[in-house]
Amino acid sequence: MEFIFDEQPIVADSSKVRSVTFKVYAMFITLLTLSILSIVVKVVLGSSDIIYDSSVPTNVLEKTESSYYIPAIINLVVAVVAAVFVGLVGNKFLNKEYKNNQLVEEALYYANIGMMIGLLAPYTMSAFQVAVSVIIAIYASTIVLGGRGNGIFNTVATAIVVMGVSFTIPTLVIDGNAVVTPLTSLGNYTEAMGESLAFTIPDLLLGNVVGISLITSTAIMLAIALVILAVLKVIDIKITLSFLIGLFATALVAGLITGFGIEYALGHLLVGYTLFAATFLLTDETTSPITREAKIIYGVFIGVMTVLLRDLASVSLDALIFAILLANILTPTLNRELVRTSKSNTIKTIAIMAVVIIVAGLVVGFTIDSRFGGAL
Amino acid sequence: MNNLLVNPEFVYIPLGKYFTNSDLKVVLGSTVRVGDLVAITEDGEKIYSSVSGRTDSIVKMYDNNNIQIRHLKIENDRQDTKKSVKEINLGSKTAIASRVREYAIDKTEQKQLYTGLNLSLKPRTVVIDATSYNSGILDLNTFLLEDITSDLLSQGVSAVGTMYGLKTVNVIVDKKTNNQIFTGKNGINIDVTNLSNKKNSDKYKKIEAILGKKLSDALDKNEVVYIELSAVVDVINACVLNEPCVHTKPVVISGNGVKNQVSGYVKVGTRLAELSEKFGGYTEKKLHLISGNLIEGSLLRSDNMAISGSVNQLFVRTVVDRAVEKCSQCGKCSDACPQELSPQSIIDAEIRKNDDIIRKYNIHDCIECGLCSTVCSSRINVREWMRRAKRRIK
């Protein structure tokens, strides 16, 4: 019989909490289901209402309406394999020891990252480009800094940025016509007068559109995943909610000023990576802040910056990714400066954030307004 | 309660508590009986023998607070010869008070808002909380069948009333208990109140209803004596049954490290190892032994520890053989912290031994409640890290 005395255990014995292991498994199952469902949606629904941009000249006829998503599925598989490979090899160099089922857990963690990148990678990326992005991102944002649980920048966002800045992303061409995705349509909407939105809200909800990537359609599916993960306490609802509210409110203020109305705000909520990022990217515990107010500030900051960048800057991919990386830079500062949290502080923070949202909405609204010479 | 009484070959009576010294009142090698005075501590606390036999020697052992103190080793002759105690008149106020003082029942440590049997108080009301016993929830009906008859209990309660010179004693019991088990003795009325639930606030409301006025935080300024049932049981042993002073102690042995969870009376000075037959041995090779509860108890070195009068509960748990996980920085500890600290940041600074940052994060506000450890999703013992940081920068 041996009684361990020298010090209290560093590993606690609480069994009633949502452990990190549970989170990894739950994330994996959710992502796998999402991947399968999004492919099923593509096969079943097809894309009857694709809107083509006739102004873009094309001379390629490689993709057809029924098979344009096949390369994306290959990319998804390649991304998962590459991510697990880099992750486990990286752990080998970090001399990480595995106990019990930790090897499986670690592999699943990197598989999750790979799956997220695969789901977000644009249709027109080649498998090689995706693999390179995955390897660079996981190595640079996680492995070099000490493996899982370390790092400043969100690995998935880093991978998407690597794709965006390293490779030219061609416009998706189906049957010889350039496709207008909802996101570009939303951008064009604020760029020039007379443009109409290339989507309707029910289409976005059901996934009856061709987005940038596999996951950027079927908002209902993503919303259900969000709710399930929030109820299971796998993701932190504080960041997600403050982000969604920040984004929607800013877009709504801008929409009211310009006269685009609520459809514009809903568009911002449903297009691009918004819901997927709200569920999987922002809630990444390593790169998001710790305290309550810091989480609110973080979420609102990303929401506001997303609207600002989407509407006022021309970014090739979804500007949300850049907003996330900008907020990641803030995280260490927020963690250091917001030491204590109390109820009154939280209320104060929420009030300040409301003001920030309104100001940002006004800025976006009036800038778009002036772009049209006050004609709106 | 299962009977945990065993007759060990030797008992080890701790001579004092924490760092107090004590004067030995017996000669080594002499014979003692159950209830004989063996030592008096610097604080005036009297220490009695729990078995009859020959005093063997003084040995140094670790006690339940993990402090090395002197223990008196007594060789048990297994005869249980008791020191004869004079019967007292249960109608006499002074006789009961002097017995209570002699047995130091009035000096028992009090938790929560209990006043204890404080002899310096002159109360208008005595309230006995009979909803729990020995820190556990009590079903009084079962308890009565096994340990103490309702007649004895009534005599004990009446004796408390007599001691304070009152006509009525109030008893709070839980809703399942039969009110008829209490019948007043020696001209004392016992007024039984049934509680609708076990919340403490409910008990205070009952006391306020009995008193007819609002209670202040300090119950001893309210002309109320508010005691636990264990104090009454002590009075029964001392005054009604005329048993020798503290020689047995009720303890609970629990946790996933022992095969059977047991509770019962143990002779003071019995080592935990002697009870292994009763709790069926240990379940694993590597264990943590904790005296007291998980939150405020102390970790012990071995089961070669004598159960003293201040041990209520022994908790044995298996050691979690899991690799240390990385903090995922979810911030749950910060959300849970009642003192509004940022434990994750403090751990981070502690790992890097950065004292300035630890001080900046107000580490000394930590009350070590352990909520951070409980909510941690990486199962890190956050409280232990906080403790280390706190101790290091003292």
Side-chain angles (χ1 to χ4, degrees):
Chain A
M1 190 55 48
E2 191 190 345
F3 290 97
I4 314 293
F5 168 73
D6 46 351
E7 54 195 23
Q8 281 274 352
I10 293 299
V11 182
D13 195 10
S14 51
S15 55
K16 284 182 183 169
V17 289
R18 290 272 175 263
S19 66
V20 172
T21 318
F22 176 84
K23 287 179 182 175
V24 171
Y25 279 75
M27 280 274 193
F28 181 76
I29 293 166
T30 320
L31 281 169
L32 199 62
T33 321
L34 279 181
S35 313
I36 294 166
L37 279 179
S38 55
I39 294 166
V40 168
V41 165
K42 290 274 172 296
V43 174
V44 173
L45 277 180
S47 309
S48 48
D49 303 329
I50 304 176
I51 295 197
Y52 300 111
D53 188 353
S54 51
S55 64
V56 178
T58 56
N59 44 13
V60 252
L61 287 164
E62 51 188 328
K63 294 192 177 73
T64 61
E65 199 184 312
S66 56
S67 66
Y68 70 93
Y69 50 83
I70 305 289
I73 300 171
I74 298 166
N75 287 353
L76 180 61
V77 176
V78 168
V80 172
V81 172
V84 174
F85 175 76
V86 184
L88 295 186
V89 170
N91 278 349
K92 189 94 185 163
F93 286 121
L94 292 169
N95 295 327
K96 192 175 164 89
E97 286 173 19
Y98 302 114
K99 268 192 182 178
N100 304 331
N101 287 326
Q102 273 193 334
L103 178 62
V104 181
E105 189 189 323
E106 204 74 12
L108 285 185
Y109 173 77
Y110 286 108
N112 285 347
I113 290 178
M115 227 183 307
M116 287 187 224
I117 299 171
L119 285 171
L120 293 182
Y123 286 121
T124 44
M125 300 296 291
S126 73
F128 170 74
Q129 290 168 335
V130 170
V132 168
S133 311
V134 168
I135 291 167
I136 292 175
I138 293 186
Y139 183 74
S141 72
T142 308
I143 303 289
V144 200
L145 297 163
R148 177 182 161 196
N150 290 316
I152 302 165
F153 292 111
N154 188 307
T155 315
V156 182
T158 314
I160 305 297
V161 164
V162 169
M163 278 178 204
V165 298
S166 312
F167 312 108
T168 4
I169 301 168
T171 320
L172 178 62
V173 176
I174 297 176
D175 296 337
N177 294 308
V179 174
V180 180
T181 63
L183 191 68
T184 42
S185 162
L186 196 73
N188 292 341
Y189 195 48
T190 57
E191 288 282 322
M193 246 175 104
E195 238 356 284
S196 62
L197 285 174
F199 57 85
T200 58
I201 300 301
D203 272 351
L204 279 182
L205 287 171
L206 289 172
N208 203 8
V209 286
V210 180
I212 312 170
S213 69
L214 268 182
I215 204 67
T216 51
S217 41
T218 326
I220 285 183
M221 192 172 75
L222 290 170
I224 291 172
L226 175 87
V227 170
I228 290 175
L229 289 181
V231 168
L232 289 176
K233 290 188 179 171
V234 173
I235 60 171
D236 193 336
I237 199 71
K238 290 188 214 74
I239 296 174
T240 307
L241 270 187
S242 51
F243 162 66
L244 291 177
I245 291 171
L247 179 122
F248 184 74
T250 314
L252 192 64
V253 172
L256 290 177
I257 289 169
T258 52
F260 294 155
I262 198 160
E263 200 182 23
Y264 170 78
L266 277 175
H268 263 294
L269 198 62
L270 301 177
V271 299
Y273 299 154
T274 313
L275 281 175
F276 186 84
T279 318
F280 296 100
L281 305 194
L282 269 72
T283 51
D284 174 26
E285 287 161 344
T286 315
T287 53
S288 60
I290 302 164
T291 54
R292 217 179 296 156
E293 305 118 338
K295 279 177 177 172
I296 295 170
I297 294 173
Y298 179 82
V300 171
F301 178 81
I302 298 177
V304 168
M305 283 310 281
T306 305
V307 178
L308 280 171
L309 289 176
R310 269 181 189 169
D311 288 351
L312 305 184
S314 82
V315 182
S316 61
L317 276 169
D318 195 345
L320 171 54
I321 298 297
F322 293 93
I324 292 175
L325 291 180
L326 281 175
N328 285 165
I329 302 172
L330 284 184
T331 303
T333 317
L334 287 176
N335 277 348
R336 201 174 309 124
E337 296 311 320
L338 294 171
V339 175
R340 310 197 109 206
T341 64
S342 64
K343 229 171 209 170
S344 58
N345 269 357
T346 312
I347 293 167
K348 219 184 284 170
T349 314
I350 291 173
I352 294 171
M353 284 302 117
V355 173
V356 168
I357 288 171
I358 292 168
V359 170
L362 291 175
V363 168
V364 174
F366 283 117
T367 315
I368 296 173
D369 212 22
S370 67
R371 198 177 278 166
F372 295 114
L376 288 169
Chain B
M1 278 176 138
N2 300 338
N3 200 357
L4 275 180
L5 278 181
V6 288
N7 242 333
E9 194 181 350
F10 293 101
V11 291
Y12 299 80
I13 312 267
L15 299 173
K17 206 190 279 180
Y18 301 112
F19 298 103
T20 53
N21 276 322
S22 52
D23 286 340
L24 205 60
K25 293 290 172 194
V26 286
V27 186
L28 288 181
S30 65
T31 324
V32 288
R33 292 163 301 171
V34 177
D36 272 344
L37 183 72
V38 290
I40 297 180
T41 66
E42 282 172 347
D43 302 342
E45 199 189 325
K46 290 170 181 169
I47 297 164
Y48 302 92
S49 169
S50 62
V51 292
S52 59
R54 193 178 60 86
T55 49
D56 187 271
S57 56
I58 302 274
V59 286
K60 277 207 162 186
M61 278 167 64
Y62 285 97
D63 71 348
N64 61 316
N65 295 310
N66 219 343
I67 298 165
Q68 208 175 24
I69 60 166
R70 298 186 306 154
H71 285 61
L72 176 64
K73 185 178 176 185
I74 303 176
E75 190 181 352
N76 188 0
D77 62 5
R78 294 182 170 125
Q79 300 294 322
D80 264 349
T81 325
K82 279 182 187 167
K83 176 192 176 188
S84 63
V85 181
K86 260 199 285 179
E87 274 190 31
I88 58 165
N89 177 12
L90 282 176
S92 154
K93 185 180 167 178
T94 46
I96 299 172
S98 67
R99 179 59 63 85
V100 164
R101 198 172 286 124
E102 185 193 336
Y103 277 46
I105 300 170
D106 56 333
K107 295 267 161 57
T108 320
E109 276 180 46
Q110 295 304 320
K111 283 178 188 169
Q112 298 176 22
L113 285 178
Y114 297 112
T115 58
L117 277 179
N118 195 338
L119 286 170
S120 61
L121 294 181
K122 294 201 165 42
R124 282 202 292 138
T125 316
V126 172
V127 182
I128 296 164
D129 176 10
T131 56
S132 67
Y133 180 56
N134 199 27
S135 310
I137 293 161
L138 171 75
D139 178 3
L140 206 52
N141 301 321
T142 344
F143 166 75
L144 279 169
L145 286 175
E146 287 183 8
D147 280 326
I148 281 180
T149 63
S150 89
D151 184 51
L152 273 177
L153 204 58
S154 302
Q155 284 194 41
V157 172
S158 304
V160 172
T162 313
M163 189 176 83
Y164 284 111
L166 296 170
K167 288 271 175 282
T168 314
V169 179
N170 292 283
V171 181
I172 300 177
V173 295
D174 76 0
K175 57 183 172 186
K176 287 180 192 164
T177 305
N178 178 8
N179 286 4
Q180 305 303 317
I181 57 177
F182 292 99
T183 46
K185 311 272 174 185
N186 301 318
I188 302 282
N189 275 327
I190 302 180
D191 200 347
V192 183
T193 318
N194 283 68
L195 212 60
S196 52
N197 60 43
K198 288 197 178 76
K199 278 188 186 159
N200 264 343
S201 58
D202 205 359
K203 289 178 195 168
Y204 298 136
K205 272 181 199 151
K206 291 279 185 228
I207 299 175
E208 281 173 355
I210 291 162
L211 261 180
K213 65 171 189 183
K214 276 254 171 219
L215 289 176
S216 77
D217 280 354
L219 271 172
D220 54 352
K221 294 194 179 111
N222 286 314
E223 302 177 308
V224 172
V225 162
Y226 180 44
I227 54 172
E228 288 179 284
L229 195 68
S230 57
V232 178
V233 174
D234 288 345
V235 170
I236 293 169
N237 282 332
C239 307
V240 185
L241 298 172
N242 300 302
E243 286 274 330
C245 202
V246 230
H247 60 288
T248 57
K249 168 75 193 163
V251 288
V252 179
I253 300 170
S254 58
N256 60 359
V258 290
K259 281 185 181 146
N260 304 324
Q261 319 260 333
V262 288
S263 60
Y265 287 92
V266 174
K267 285 190 176 166
V268 171
T270 311
R271 288 173 306 131
L272 177 63
E274 310 265 7
L275 297 171
S276 65
E277 239 177 59
K278 297 281 181 185
F279 59 77
Y282 301 103
T283 51
E284 274 179 36
K285 282 262 155 61
K286 281 186 173 178
L287 294 168
H288 280 128
L289 173 59
I290 297 154
S291 163
N293 57 36
L294 270 175
I295 299 290
E296 52 191 7
S298 48
L299 203 63
L300 302 182
R301 279 158 204 267
S302 79
D303 59 356
N304 188 26
M305 185 265 321
I307 291 166
S308 68
S310 53
V311 177
N312 289 321
Q313 187 185 5
L314 288 160
F315 191 83
V316 189
R317 72 165 178 198
T318 50
V319 180
V320 187
D321 190 23
R322 208 189 299 120
V324 178
E325 292 210 39
K326 261 249 139 65
C327 168
S328 66
Q329 306 183 9
C330 61
K332 279 211 184 99
C333 44
S334 182
D335 281 354
C337 183
Q339 293 294 89
E340 297 165 358
L341 300 173
S342 297
Q344 190 275 333
S345 309
I346 295 171
I347 294 182
D348 201 36
E350 165 65 15
I351 290 169
R352 290 181 280 114
K353 306 264 187 267
N354 193 335
D355 293 6
D356 290 345
I357 290 188
I358 296 175
R359 278 194 198 95
K360 187 191 155 194
Y361 284 125
N362 305 315
I363 179 70
H364 286 301
D365 288 350
C366 175
I367 52 170
E368 301 188 14
C369 63
L371 278 174
C372 42
S373 296
T374 314
V375 297
C376 181
S377 58
S378 291
R379 297 199 168 120
I380 296 166
N381 194 344
V382 184
R383 181 173 57 137
E384 181 56 22
W385 280 104
M386 299 284 280
R387 268 187 188 161
R388 286 182 193 178
K390 207 192 219 173
R391 280 186 214 127
R392 218 166 47 75
I393 64 158
K394 226 161 216 177

